[in-house]
């Protein structure tokens, strides 16, 4: 599902704001053989996409990305070359989001009452489910419908689905970004996907994805 959420601002807008702000900060000690600004620029679109899904407001998303880049620039000496730079940036951004929107994030978020429901069980008999049938069915649905369903998830589940299914982070990387055990990631992803499938069932029937 990594290609379904391609929201972005005008090319270079967020990158320009972030890099301009970084240039106004005192330069920390350089890390040998690592082009920090180039690495940031390479991940700007992904950061903005994630920020927009978390904040739901373009201006707030731009502000969150800019602050993320500034924080990363200030503490770039803590990044270990050879590890996942994108995951490091997302961890910074996630922590900033939680700090800014603490009240929203700490509101009740349980999906424990979500019933076991799998869209792929409603596939026609002639359709063979993929290795990950839940993700495969979501891939076949419309971008707008899936986007809306993801936005309706409670924040903790939304960020888990986004990091794993949209940005392609592994369970371990997602767990490190969110600061939770891998088992928690797997549980949230399972319940989040189930809620998505429940929300999308009617649309899936109308579009012929399920019978």
């Amino acid at each position: 599902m990594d290609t379904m959420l391609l929201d972005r601002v005008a090319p270079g807008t967020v990158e320009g704001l972030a890099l301009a702000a970084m240039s106004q900060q005192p330069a920390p000690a350089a890390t040998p053989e690592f082009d920090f600004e180039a690495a940031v620029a390479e991940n700007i679109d992904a950061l903005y996409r994630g920020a927009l899904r978390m904040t739901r407001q373009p201006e707030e998303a731009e502000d969150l990305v800019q602050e993320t880049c500034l924080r990363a620039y200030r503490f770039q000496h803590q990044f270990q070359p050879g590890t996942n730079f994108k995951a490091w940036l997302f961890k910074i951004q996630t922590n900033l989001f939680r700090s800014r929107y603490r009240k929203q994030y700490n509101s009740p978020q349980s999906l424990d009452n979500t019933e076991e429901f799998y869209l792929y069980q409603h596939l026609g008999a002639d359709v063979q489910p993929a290795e990950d049938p839940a993700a495969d069915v979501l891939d076949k649905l419309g971008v707008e419908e899936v986007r809306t369903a993801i936005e309706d998830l409670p924040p903790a589940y939304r960020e888990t689905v986004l990091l794993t299914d949209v940005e392609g982070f592994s369970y371990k990387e997602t767990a490190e970004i969110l600061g939770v055990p891998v088992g928690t990631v797997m549980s949230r992803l399972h319940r989040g996907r189930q809620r998505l499938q429940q929300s999308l069932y009617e649309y899936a029937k109308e579009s012929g994805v399920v019978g």
Side-chain angles (χ1 to χ4, degrees):
M1 200 163 62
D2 57 342
T3 60
M4 78 174 41
L5 298 178
L6 299 178
D7 300 283
R8 53 182 295 177
V9 292
T13 300
V14 175
E15 179 180 343
L17 289 171
L19 297 183
M22 284 162 49
S23 69
Q24 298 173 11
Q25 299 296 309
T31 303
E33 300 180 359
F34 181 71
D35 191 334
F36 179 82
E37 290 192 9
V40 169
E42 184 178 340
N43 288 285
I44 283 289
D45 283 353
L47 284 174
Y48 177 74
R49 184 170 59 231
L52 185 59
R53 296 273 67 79
M54 288 190 288
T55 65
R56 308 183 190 184
Q57 297 292 333
E59 290 185 0
E60 292 184 19
E62 290 180 22
D63 191 43
L64 181 59
V65 171
Q66 184 171 332
E67 188 173 351
T68 297
C69 292
L70 287 173
R71 184 71 59 88
Y73 184 70
R74 191 174 300 127
F75 295 101
Q76 63 177 280
H77 61 281
Q78 296 182 2
F79 173 69
Q80 299 179 0
T83 59
N84 191 329
F85 184 69
K86 179 180 177 182
W88 185 71
L89 289 176
F90 266 82
K91 183 174 180 65
I92 293 173
Q93 180 163 276
T94 299
N95 287 339
L96 285 172
F97 171 76
R98 289 178 174 179
S99 178
R100 282 188 175 194
Y101 301 90
R102 190 177 304 278
K103 182 177 180 180
Q104 173 189 356
Y105 191 86
N106 290 336
S107 61
Q109 301 184 49
S110 176
L111 289 182
D112 289 343
N113 62 344
T114 300
E115 298 178 0
E116 296 289 325
F117 181 88
Y118 303 96
L119 277 176
Y120 66 82
Q121 291 179 340
H122 298 267
L123 292 171
D126 58 335
V127 179
Q128 295 299 318
E131 181 178 345
D132 189 342
D136 184 57
V137 169
L138 293 177
D139 278 338
K140 292 181 172 64
L141 299 173
V143 173
E144 291 299 328
E145 287 72 22
V146 174
R147 178 187 293 118
T148 299
I150 289 177
E151 289 180 348
D152 286 342
L153 291 173
Y157 295 86
R158 184 168 70 242
E159 65 186 8
T160 303
V161 171
L162 287 170
L163 290 170
T164 307
D165 285 344
V166 178
E167 297 302 335
F169 290 114
S170 67
Y171 291 159
K172 181 179 179 181
E173 290 170 336
T174 298
E176 291 175 351
I177 291 170
L178 299 179
V180 299
V182 172
T184 300
V185 168
M186 296 174 67
S187 175
R188 289 179 181 175
L189 188 62
H190 173 71
R191 294 189 182 280
R193 283 177 172 175
Q194 286 186 325
R195 177 59 63 88
L196 287 176
Q197 292 179 79
Q198 287 180 337
S199 300
L200 293 163
Y201 179 57
E202 290 301 321
Y203 172 78
K205 285 199 302 182
E206 292 175 3
S207 60
V209 173
V210 299

